[in-house]
Amino acid sequence: MNARAPAPKGQETSTQEMTGAEMVVQALKDNGVKHIFGYPGGAVLPIYDELFQQDEIQHILVRHEQGAGHAAEGYARSTGKAGVMLVTSGPGATNAVTALQDALMDSIPLVCITGQVPTTLIGSDAFQECDTVGITRPCTKHNWLVRDVNQLAAVLHEAFHVATTGRPGPVVVDIPKDVQFAKGLYLSPQTAPRTRYRPREEGDQQSIREAIALMAGARRPVIYTGGGIINAGPEASHLLRELVELTGFPITSTLMGLGAYPASGKNWLGMLGMHGTYEANMAMHDCDVMLCIGARFDDRITGRVDAFSPNSKKIHVDIDPSSINKNVHVDIPIIGDAGRVLEDMVRLWRASAHADKAALKPWWEQIAKWRARDSLAYTPSDDVIMPQYAIQRLYEATRGRDVYITTEVGQHQMWAAQHFGFDEPNRWMTSGGLGTMGYGLPAALGVQIAHPDALVIDIAGDASVLMTMQEMSAAVQHNAPIKIFILNNQYMGMVRQWQQLLHGNRLSHSYTEALPDFVKLAEAYGCKGIRCEKPGDLDAAIKEMIETDGPVIFDCRVANLANCFPMIPSGKAHNEMLLPDEATDEAVANAIGAEGRALV
């Protein structure tokens, strides 16, 4: 690496004349960026040339722009910082769209810098031109096309501000090639014009007092949290735990909120929603007061909206005003940062509310009866590895370690959420809103780059993992020892399950024929491959995977036709969920009905 000579003494970078490409690199440094994920191309070569001439920012070369986006997402989710990706114009930018939409739906701070054809060619259908701003407008929090180099620095600083404040999300800065070559005045974050984006962070005090009063009188309360708690930072998770301890309330979470409250905590009900626990969903349905913090009442949580928690008073804390009353009407809306509002709630509860935990005893007795149904039970086998068992053994083998889990999307994702316990935030990276197959492997790469000494495992499916398998090459190149733990059932498992239950067992194109030999594939990439087919061999094989220094692809052959239960059929309410012992094909078909099939 050829480091650029430092600026002459007395020449401040905040007012230095620079090319647009130099401004990009300087802005990244000034915003604290240490790693970026990208793939070069003609329209960003000036920026790549500047990256070559410095050593402060490490560039991670991916093998596909979608992989750059998911890697940046994993980096962001595990650190709380913005993930950064750099791609070229045209197909480089369009390949990033899936990751941008994924980040938008899951509120992940992502700064995507794209190259563009020179300003004189915009609109001429030039080579590798596309309307990046137009294409990405629906899937970003904001985006910019920078035509004037003198505006570039301010836009870049604003991009980081917009991506990371309020409800986090992805932004795009599209930079024509001639702007990258042009010279202008660089402004530091301190001297650049202040952005007008100032989201509200403090909750309304009167509304918070009303919420505390409502909570104090609750007899069947529940706390329902989402990814907004994670986004609000570690202190928000600490405050959440304090509030639960003070109130004695039961707590559940969405898929995105796992780890904010510890799975080992005595008040934990497990995940709620379509594949959540029976006790979590029944508590949501029968509660009298619901405190929702940092979640958005999406369809996988609510089930049938008009039957969702019909007799409860609802408090909704969210930093995004557009999420309030969007899907479910609430009684006390509180717009603000989850951490700030929780701080106020804890303070007010200590000052004015007195927890009558004895009054909650009948509620906890009812919850105990629901728990006794053991909704995550499955039938073990001595001959074939059940997927739930594989997750449980993986969890036991990694307890006490600094472990980060990513997933692909499908049955394995739900089994991981059900059976792998998370006691800390920022340890669980998954695609929630968009459900992006192929997310987990590149996300694991991003997590490993952020935490080089941690154990990073992608719990994968045999179909999902093939969508971005090329990023194993990036993992090998950058010495990122990620472990890809594939639950290989030789099907697109969730697709197959729905076809079985909703479409008369007509398995249309969900059997993944012609799968590669994953052990040989690992060896072809220059890493370790492990295969396990018997339950008795699993612990030793997992131990070998963990103790291997470099990247590993683990082919765990699991039961082909295992289904993921419990399950709330589409179009049904929480109290109509199906448990494993009830889930015969006929029972499921009758429970779902034609209306449910239409709603899937």
Side-chain angles (χ1 to χ4, degrees):
M1 205 61 83
N2 300 321
R4 180 179 297 279
K9 188 175 181 180
Q11 186 176 4
E12 301 290 338
T13 58
S14 62
T15 58
Q16 186 179 353
E17 186 179 61
M18 298 182 184
T19 66
E22 290 174 319
M23 289 183 187
V24 171
V25 174
Q26 189 60 50
L28 295 177
K29 294 177 183 178
D30 286 347
N31 283 279
V33 175
K34 300 298 181 184
H35 302 91
I36 65 172
F37 303 87
Y39 201 93
V44 283
L45 288 184
I47 299 173
Y48 271 89
D49 191 49
E50 292 302 322
L51 287 171
F52 182 82
Q53 299 179 71
Q54 57 82 50
D55 293 310
E56 295 177 47
I57 299 171
Q58 182 185 1
H59 177 274
I60 308 301
L61 177 65
V62 296
R63 299 308 189 262
H64 189 283
E65 290 86 357
Q66 181 183 347
H70 295 325
E73 285 188 274
Y75 188 98
R77 187 72 172 174
S78 67
T79 63
K81 303 175 183 177
V84 182
M85 61 185 296
L86 173 61
V87 300
T88 194
S89 63
T94 58
N95 282 344
V97 165
T98 297
L100 292 172
Q101 180 66 22
D102 191 274
L104 182 72
M105 295 192 73
D106 287 345
S107 304
I108 306 300
L110 186 62
V111 176
C112 175
I113 299 172
T114 61
Q116 183 56 273
V117 300
T119 55
T120 55
L121 294 179
I122 291 176
S124 70
D125 293 331
F127 177 67
Q128 290 194 331
E129 181 192 0
C130 73
D131 180 6
T132 299
V133 167
I135 289 169
T136 63
R137 184 173 288 118
C139 59
T140 54
K141 190 175 176 183
H142 197 62
N143 60 15
W144 298 261
L145 170 61
V146 184
R147 293 174 177 266
D148 181 352
V149 70
N150 289 301
Q151 297 176 356
L152 179 57
V155 167
L156 289 165
H157 301 321
E158 185 175 15
F160 278 91
H161 176 73
V162 171
T164 57
T165 54
R167 179 179 176 177
V171 297
V172 166
V173 181
D174 195 30
I175 313 174
K177 192 169 185 179
D178 57 331
V179 173
Q180 297 171 42
F181 280 121
K183 286 192 174 183
L185 190 65
Y186 177 80
L187 300 175
S188 70
Q190 294 74 28
T191 58
R194 294 195 64 182
T195 175
R196 291 173 292 176
Y197 178 61
R198 288 284 182 267
R200 180 176 175 178
E201 295 186 346
E202 298 291 342
D204 178 73
Q205 293 300 302
Q206 180 58 33
S207 296
I208 296 174
R209 283 191 289 270
E210 291 174 6
I212 291 296
L214 185 60
M215 292 163 60
R219 293 298 174 263
R220 299 188 312 279
V222 70
I223 298 175
Y224 149 42
T225 64
I229 293 283
I230 309 290
N231 289 339
E235 184 60 27
S237 294
H238 293 313
L239 289 164
L240 174 67
R241 296 168 191 219
E242 187 175 357
L243 184 66
V244 171
E245 182 63 30
L246 287 171
T247 61
F249 289 4
I251 179 171
T252 181
S253 167
T254 67
L255 181 73
M256 298 302 297
L258 297 178
Y261 183 84
S264 59
K266 65 181 185 336
N267 291 43
W268 178 239
L269 300 180
M271 182 180 72
L272 82 157
M274 177 173 278
H275 293 290
T277 66
Y278 185 63
E279 55 267 31
N281 283 310
M282 290 302 292
M284 287 286 281
H285 186 271
D286 286 0
C287 69
D288 62 355
V289 173
M290 177 194 306
L291 171 60
C292 172
I293 311 175
R296 56 188 177 88
F297 294 100
D298 71 281
D299 64 295
R300 290 314 191 216
I301 296 302
T302 62
R304 202 175 91 217
V305 173
D306 62 359
F308 173 69
S309 193
N311 300 312
S312 67
K313 296 289 186 180
K314 300 175 181 67
I315 306 160
H316 188 190
V317 180
D318 204 293
I319 200 166
D320 181 4
S322 70
S323 292
I324 303 292
N325 291 321
K326 181 177 181 179
N327 298 322
V328 171
H329 174 76
V330 298
D331 300 277
I332 303 178
I334 303 173
I335 299 169
D337 175 77
R340 302 278 185 91
V341 175
L342 278 168
E343 185 176 12
D344 290 336
M345 284 186 160
V346 167
R347 174 178 52 80
L348 289 172
W349 187 277
R350 287 188 181 278
S352 60
H354 302 283
D356 185 4
K357 294 185 180 179
L360 301 182
K361 185 178 178 182
W363 181 229
W364 277 109
E365 289 173 347
Q366 176 59 65
I367 289 171
K369 293 177 183 177
W370 289 327
R371 277 178 170 161
R373 296 293 300 272
D374 194 9
S375 62
L376 300 183
Y378 63 95
T379 303
S381 171
D382 293 330
D383 299 318
V384 64
I385 300 173
M386 297 303 293
Q388 302 95 322
Y389 178 76
I391 299 295
Q392 290 174 341
R393 299 317 301 161
L394 181 66
Y395 172 58
E396 291 298 328
T398 57
R399 293 183 75 169
R401 300 181 65 110
D402 187 22
V403 60
Y404 294 78
I405 299 295
T406 71
T407 77
E408 309 296 335
V409 168
Q411 287 179 318
H412 62 275
Q413 176 191 31
M414 294 298 105
W415 283 317
Q418 291 172 342
H419 297 281
F420 201 104
F422 295 93
D423 282 351
E424 298 295 333
N426 304 104
R427 296 302 193 275
W428 164 251
M429 275 61 61
T430 195
S431 174
L434 193 60
T436 305
M437 294 174 70
Y439 169 90
L441 197 164
L445 172 65
V447 174
Q448 192 77 78
I449 294 300
H451 308 277
D453 298 324
L455 175 61
V456 181
I457 303 173
D458 171 30
I459 297 176
D462 53 284
S464 281
V465 76
L466 289 176
M467 291 202 169
T468 52
M469 178 57 78
Q470 67 273 8
E471 301 308 335
M472 284 305 294
S473 180
V476 171
Q477 175 184 343
H478 295 285
N479 301 311
I482 58 176
K483 317 303 181 189
I484 312 303
F485 189 77
I486 303 172
L487 298 185
N488 186 352
N489 60 11
Q490 300 179 333
Y491 280 95
M492 301 173 199
M494 194 63 83
V495 173
R496 193 269 311 149
Q497 177 172 333
W498 285 6
Q499 288 175 335
Q500 176 189 343
L501 302 180
L502 308 178
H503 298 283
N505 203 32
R506 292 180 292 278
L507 307 186
S508 177
H509 302 285
S510 55
Y511 178 59
T512 48
E513 299 182 70
L515 283 173
D517 182 322
F518 285 111
V519 172
K520 289 182 179 179
L521 186 60
E523 294 168 353
Y525 278 117
C527 59
K528 177 77 172 179
I530 300 172
R531 179 177 295 112
C532 186
E533 301 184 60
K534 296 296 181 181
D537 300 330
L538 188 57
D539 285 354
I542 290 174
K543 185 173 185 288
E544 180 184 2
M545 177 188 76
I546 292 171
E547 294 179 352
T548 299
D549 289 336
V552 176
I553 297 177
F554 189 116
D555 183 8
C556 185
R557 299 293 182 92
V558 299
N560 297 89
L561 299 177
N563 281 335
C564 186
F565 289 105
M567 175 182 178
I568 301 176
S570 293
K572 298 297 181 179
H574 282 186
N575 62 340
E576 299 176 283
M577 75 182 310
L578 289 166
L579 302 186
D581 57 352
E582 303 168 340
T584 64
D585 290 358
E586 182 179 2
V588 173
N590 291 336
I592 293 171
E595 180 184 0
R597 285 192 289 274
L599 289 171
V600 170

mmCIF file of all heavy atoms in Angstrom, residues 390-414:
data_model
loop_
_atom_site.group_PDB
_atom_site.id
_atom_site.type_symbol
_atom_site.label_atom_id
_atom_site.label_comp_id
_atom_site.label_asym_id
_atom_site.label_seq_id
_atom_site.Cartn_x
_atom_site.Cartn_y
_atom_site.Cartn_z
ATOM 1 N N ALA A 390 -29.983 -30.312 16.180
ATOM 2 C CA ALA A 390 -28.718 -29.753 15.678
ATOM 3 C C ALA A 390 -28.498 -28.348 16.237
ATOM 4 O O ALA A 390 -27.378 -27.997 16.648
ATOM 5 C CB ALA A 390 -28.732 -29.724 14.156
ATOM 6 N N ILE A 391 -29.554 -27.536 16.264
ATOM 7 C CA ILE A 391 -29.425 -26.182 16.807
ATOM 8 C C ILE A 391 -29.128 -26.235 18.308
ATOM 9 O O ILE A 391 -28.280 -25.482 18.825
ATOM 10 C CB ILE A 391 -30.707 -25.366 16.554
ATOM 11 C CG1 ILE A 391 -30.997 -25.235 15.049
ATOM 12 C CG2 ILE A 391 -30.608 -23.977 17.205
ATOM 13 C CD1 ILE A 391 -29.981 -24.456 14.279
ATOM 14 N N GLN A 392 -29.809 -27.104 19.010
ATOM 15 C CA GLN A 392 -29.587 -27.216 20.456
ATOM 16 C C GLN A 392 -28.165 -27.642 20.780
ATOM 17 O O GLN A 392 -27.546 -27.112 21.710
ATOM 18 C CB GLN A 392 -30.595 -28.208 21.052
ATOM 19 C CG GLN A 392 -32.023 -27.683 21.066
ATOM 20 C CD GLN A 392 -33.031 -28.720 21.526
ATOM 21 O OE1 GLN A 392 -32.751 -29.926 21.504
ATOM 22 N NE2 GLN A 392 -34.204 -28.267 21.949
ATOM 23 N N ARG A 393 -27.623 -28.583 20.023
ATOM 24 C CA ARG A 393 -26.253 -29.025 20.277
ATOM 25 C C ARG A 393 -25.251 -27.929 19.913
ATOM 26 O O ARG A 393 -24.227 -27.749 20.584
ATOM 27 C CB ARG A 393 -25.934 -30.304 19.499
ATOM 28 C CG ARG A 393 -26.777 -31.522 19.830
ATOM 29 C CD ARG A 393 -27.003 -31.695 21.327
ATOM 30 N NE ARG A 393 -25.736 -31.830 22.057
ATOM 31 C CZ ARG A 393 -25.617 -31.639 23.365
ATOM 32 N NH1 ARG A 393 -26.657 -31.272 24.081
ATOM 33 N NH2 ARG A 393 -24.437 -31.794 23.930
ATOM 34 N N LEU A 394 -25.540 -27.186 18.863
ATOM 35 C CA LEU A 394 -24.679 -26.058 18.498
ATOM 36 C C LEU A 394 -24.692 -25.011 19.604
ATOM 37 O O LEU A 394 -23.644 -24.463 19.971
ATOM 38 C CB LEU A 394 -25.156 -25.446 17.175
ATOM 39 C CG LEU A 394 -24.352 -24.259 16.643
ATOM 40 C CD1 LEU A 394 -22.942 -24.685 16.251
ATOM 41 C CD2 LEU A 394 -25.060 -23.619 15.448
ATOM 42 N N TYR A 395 -25.868 -24.742 20.138
ATOM 43 C CA TYR A 395 -25.994 -23.760 21.229
ATOM 44 C C TYR A 395 -25.196 -24.220 22.454
ATOM 45 O O TYR A 395 -24.436 -23.433 23.048
ATOM 46 C CB TYR A 395 -27.469 -23.585 21.582
ATOM 47 C CG TYR A 395 -27.719 -22.745 22.807
ATOM 48 C CD1 TYR A 395 -27.258 -21.437 22.884
ATOM 49 C CD2 TYR A 395 -28.423 -23.265 23.892
ATOM 50 C CE1 TYR A 395 -27.495 -20.662 24.012
ATOM 51 C CE2 TYR A 395 -28.667 -22.490 25.020
ATOM 52 C CZ TYR A 395 -28.191 -21.190 25.075
ATOM 53 O OH TYR A 395 -28.419 -20.423 26.191
ATOM 54 N N GLU A 396 -25.341 -25.471 22.828
ATOM 55 C CA GLU A 396 -24.621 -25.972 24.005
ATOM 56 C C GLU A 396 -23.108 -25.928 23.788
ATOM 57 O O GLU A 396 -22.348 -25.631 24.715
ATOM 58 C CB GLU A 396 -25.062 -27.400 24.331
ATOM 59 C CG GLU A 396 -26.488 -27.505 24.843
ATOM 60 C CD GLU A 396 -26.703 -26.742 26.144
ATOM 61 O OE1 GLU A 396 -25.752 -26.652 26.958
ATOM 62 O OE2 GLU A 396 -27.818 -26.217 26.340
ATOM 63 N N ALA A 397 -22.675 -26.201 22.570
ATOM 64 C CA ALA A 397 -21.233 -26.215 22.280
ATOM 65 C C ALA A 397 -20.617 -24.820 22.295
ATOM 66 O O ALA A 397 -19.399 -24.675 22.447
ATOM 67 C CB ALA A 397 -20.981 -26.880 20.931
ATOM 68 N N THR A 398 -21.450 -23.803 22.127
ATOM 69 C CA THR A 398 -20.917 -22.431 22.033
ATOM 70 C C THR A 398 -21.231 -21.592 23.260
ATOM 71 O O THR A 398 -20.847 -20.415 23.310
ATOM 72 C CB THR A 398 -21.486 -21.722 20.791
ATOM 73 O OG1 THR A 398 -22.919 -21.719 20.853
ATOM 74 C CG2 THR A 398 -21.049 -22.431 19.514
ATOM 75 N N ARG A 399 -21.913 -22.150 24.247
ATOM 76 C CA ARG A 399 -22.250 -21.373 25.449
ATOM 77 C C ARG A 399 -20.977 -20.931 26.163
ATOM 78 O O ARG A 399 -20.023 -21.690 26.292
ATOM 79 C CB ARG A 399 -23.127 -22.183 26.402
ATOM 80 C CG ARG A 399 -24.500 -22.461 25.844
ATOM 81 C CD ARG A 399 -25.377 -23.196 26.820
ATOM 82 N NE ARG A 399 -25.862 -22.324 27.885
ATOM 83 C CZ ARG A 399 -26.804 -22.665 28.752
ATOM 84 N NH1 ARG A 399 -27.357 -23.869 28.687
ATOM 85 N NH2 ARG A 399 -27.209 -21.837 29.680
ATOM 86 N N GLY A 400 -20.992 -19.685 26.618
ATOM 87 C CA GLY A 400 -19.828 -19.141 27.311
ATOM 88 C C GLY A 400 -18.797 -18.521 26.388
ATOM 89 O O GLY A 400 -17.830 -17.926 26.853
ATOM 90 N N ARG A 401 -18.994 -18.640 25.086
ATOM 91 C CA ARG A 401 -18.075 -18.053 24.123
ATOM 92 C C ARG A 401 -18.656 -16.734 23.585
ATOM 93 O O ARG A 401 -19.850 -16.484 23.679
ATOM 94 C CB ARG A 401 -17.821 -19.006 22.947
ATOM 95 C CG ARG A 401 -17.216 -20.344 23.331
ATOM 96 C CD ARG A 401 -16.988 -21.193 22.105
ATOM 97 N NE ARG A 401 -15.994 -20.603 21.231
ATOM 98 C CZ ARG A 401 -14.778 -21.103 21.038
ATOM 99 N NH1 ARG A 401 -14.393 -22.189 21.684
ATOM 100 N NH2 ARG A 401 -13.931 -20.519 20.213
ATOM 101 N N ASP A 402 -17.769 -15.919 23.019
ATOM 102 C CA ASP A 402 -18.209 -14.691 22.357
ATOM 103 C C ASP A 402 -18.663 -15.075 20.958
ATOM 104 O O ASP A 402 -17.872 -15.077 20.012
ATOM 105 C CB ASP A 402 -17.059 -13.677 22.315
ATOM 106 C CG ASP A 402 -17.502 -12.325 21.780
ATOM 107 O OD1 ASP A 402 -18.719 -12.032 21.828
ATOM 108 O OD2 ASP A 402 -16.635 -11.564 21.310
ATOM 109 N N VAL A 403 -19.948 -15.431 20.829
ATOM 110 C CA VAL A 403 -20.451 -15.991 19.579
ATOM 111 C C VAL A 403 -21.476 -15.061 18.958
ATOM 112 O O VAL A 403 -22.307 -14.456 19.636
ATOM 113 C CB VAL A 403 -21.048 -17.399 19.801
ATOM 114 C CG1 VAL A 403 -22.204 -17.361 20.781
ATOM 115 C CG2 VAL A 403 -21.486 -18.039 18.489
ATOM 116 N N TYR A 404 -21.399 -14.934 17.643
ATOM 117 C CA TYR A 404 -22.349 -14.163 16.844
ATOM 118 C C TYR A 404 -22.993 -15.116 15.839
ATOM 119 O O TYR A 404 -22.299 -15.894 15.185
ATOM 120 C CB TYR A 404 -21.653 -13.029 16.095
ATOM 121 C CG TYR A 404 -21.086 -11.954 16.986
ATOM 122 C CD1 TYR A 404 -19.883 -12.143 17.668
ATOM 123 C CD2 TYR A 404 -21.736 -10.736 17.148
ATOM 124 C CE1 TYR A 404 -19.353 -11.150 18.489
ATOM 125 C CE2 TYR A 404 -21.217 -9.743 17.963
ATOM 126 C CZ TYR A 404 -20.024 -9.958 18.628
ATOM 127 O OH TYR A 404 -19.513 -8.974 19.439
ATOM 128 N N ILE A 405 -24.311 -15.014 15.713
ATOM 129 C CA ILE A 405 -25.050 -15.904 14.821
ATOM 130 C C ILE A 405 -25.706 -15.086 13.706
ATOM 131 O O ILE A 405 -26.393 -14.095 13.972
ATOM 132 C CB ILE A 405 -26.141 -16.679 15.591
ATOM 133 C CG1 ILE A 405 -25.525 -17.550 16.689
ATOM 134 C CG2 ILE A 405 -26.980 -17.523 14.635
ATOM 135 C CD1 ILE A 405 -24.640 -18.673 16.184
ATOM 136 N N THR A 406 -25.491 -15.511 12.483
ATOM 137 C CA THR A 406 -26.270 -14.997 11.358
ATOM 138 C C THR A 406 -27.097 -16.155 10.814
ATOM 139 O O THR A 406 -26.854 -17.318 11.155
ATOM 140 C CB THR A 406 -25.377 -14.417 10.242
ATOM 141 O OG1 THR A 406 -24.685 -15.499 9.577
ATOM 142 C CG2 THR A 406 -24.353 -13.446 10.807
ATOM 143 N N THR A 407 -28.091 -15.855 10.003
ATOM 144 C CA THR A 407 -28.859 -16.933 9.384
ATOM 145 C C THR A 407 -29.176 -16.574 7.939
ATOM 146 O O THR A 407 -29.137 -15.416 7.535
ATOM 147 C CB THR A 407 -30.204 -17.207 10.102
ATOM 148 O OG1 THR A 407 -31.151 -16.199 9.735
ATOM 149 C CG2 THR A 407 -30.043 -17.266 11.600
ATOM 150 N N GLU A 408 -29.521 -17.590 7.197
ATOM 151 C CA GLU A 408 -30.195 -17.394 5.920
ATOM 152 C C GLU A 408 -31.696 -17.242 6.242
ATOM 153 O O GLU A 408 -32.042 -16.823 7.337
ATOM 154 C CB GLU A 408 -29.913 -18.586 5.006
ATOM 155 C CG GLU A 408 -28.435 -18.952 4.875
ATOM 156 C CD GLU A 408 -27.567 -17.893 4.218
ATOM 157 O OE1 GLU A 408 -28.104 -17.085 3.431
ATOM 158 O OE2 GLU A 408 -26.358 -17.872 4.485
ATOM 159 N N VAL A 409 -32.565 -17.622 5.331
ATOM 160 C CA VAL A 409 -34.004 -17.451 5.561
ATOM 161 C C VAL A 409 -34.742 -18.743 5.253
ATOM 162 O O VAL A 409 -34.516 -19.354 4.205
ATOM 163 C CB VAL A 409 -34.561 -16.298 4.705
ATOM 164 C CG1 VAL A 409 -36.083 -16.294 4.706
ATOM 165 C CG2 VAL A 409 -34.032 -14.972 5.223
ATOM 166 N N GLY A 410 -35.590 -19.149 6.186
ATOM 167 C CA GLY A 410 -36.381 -20.346 5.995
ATOM 168 C C GLY A 410 -36.584 -21.073 7.304
ATOM 169 O O GLY A 410 -36.514 -20.487 8.386
ATOM 170 N N GLN A 411 -36.819 -22.376 7.217
ATOM 171 C CA GLN A 411 -37.063 -23.164 8.422
ATOM 172 C C GLN A 411 -35.897 -23.066 9.398
ATOM 173 O O GLN A 411 -36.087 -22.903 10.609
ATOM 174 C CB GLN A 411 -37.290 -24.630 8.050
ATOM 175 C CG GLN A 411 -38.617 -24.929 7.392
ATOM 176 C CD GLN A 411 -38.725 -26.405 7.032
ATOM 177 O OE1 GLN A 411 -37.764 -27.018 6.537
ATOM 178 N NE2 GLN A 411 -39.889 -26.986 7.260
ATOM 179 N N HIS A 412 -34.677 -23.186 8.880
ATOM 180 C CA HIS A 412 -33.500 -23.155 9.753
ATOM 181 C C HIS A 412 -33.438 -21.849 10.551
ATOM 182 O O HIS A 412 -32.998 -21.821 11.694
ATOM 183 C CB HIS A 412 -32.231 -23.322 8.917
ATOM 184 C CG HIS A 412 -32.039 -22.230 7.921
ATOM 185 N ND1 HIS A 412 -32.629 -22.241 6.673
ATOM 186 C CD2 HIS A 412 -31.362 -21.063 7.998
ATOM 187 C CE1 HIS A 412 -32.309 -21.139 6.027
ATOM 188 N NE2 HIS A 412 -31.538 -20.404 6.811
ATOM 189 N N GLN A 413 -33.873 -20.762 9.925
ATOM 190 C CA GLN A 413 -33.899 -19.450 10.580
ATOM 191 C C GLN A 413 -34.831 -19.477 11.785
ATOM 192 O O GLN A 413 -34.495 -18.986 12.874
ATOM 193 C CB GLN A 413 -34.347 -18.395 9.574
ATOM 194 C CG GLN A 413 -34.518 -16.994 10.113
ATOM 195 C CD GLN A 413 -35.224 -16.087 9.101
ATOM 196 O OE1 GLN A 413 -36.047 -16.551 8.303
ATOM 197 N NE2 GLN A 413 -34.895 -14.813 9.117
ATOM 198 N N MET A 414 -36.019 -20.050 11.602
ATOM 199 C CA MET A 414 -36.993 -20.124 12.692
ATOM 200 C C MET A 414 -36.521 -21.080 13.783
ATOM 201 O O MET A 414 -36.671 -20.804 14.981
ATOM 202 C CB MET A 414 -38.355 -20.574 12.154
ATOM 203 C CG MET A 414 -39.004 -19.578 11.207
ATOM 204 S SD MET A 414 -39.355 -17.974 11.998
ATOM 205 C CE MET A 414 -38.069 -16.958 11.290
#
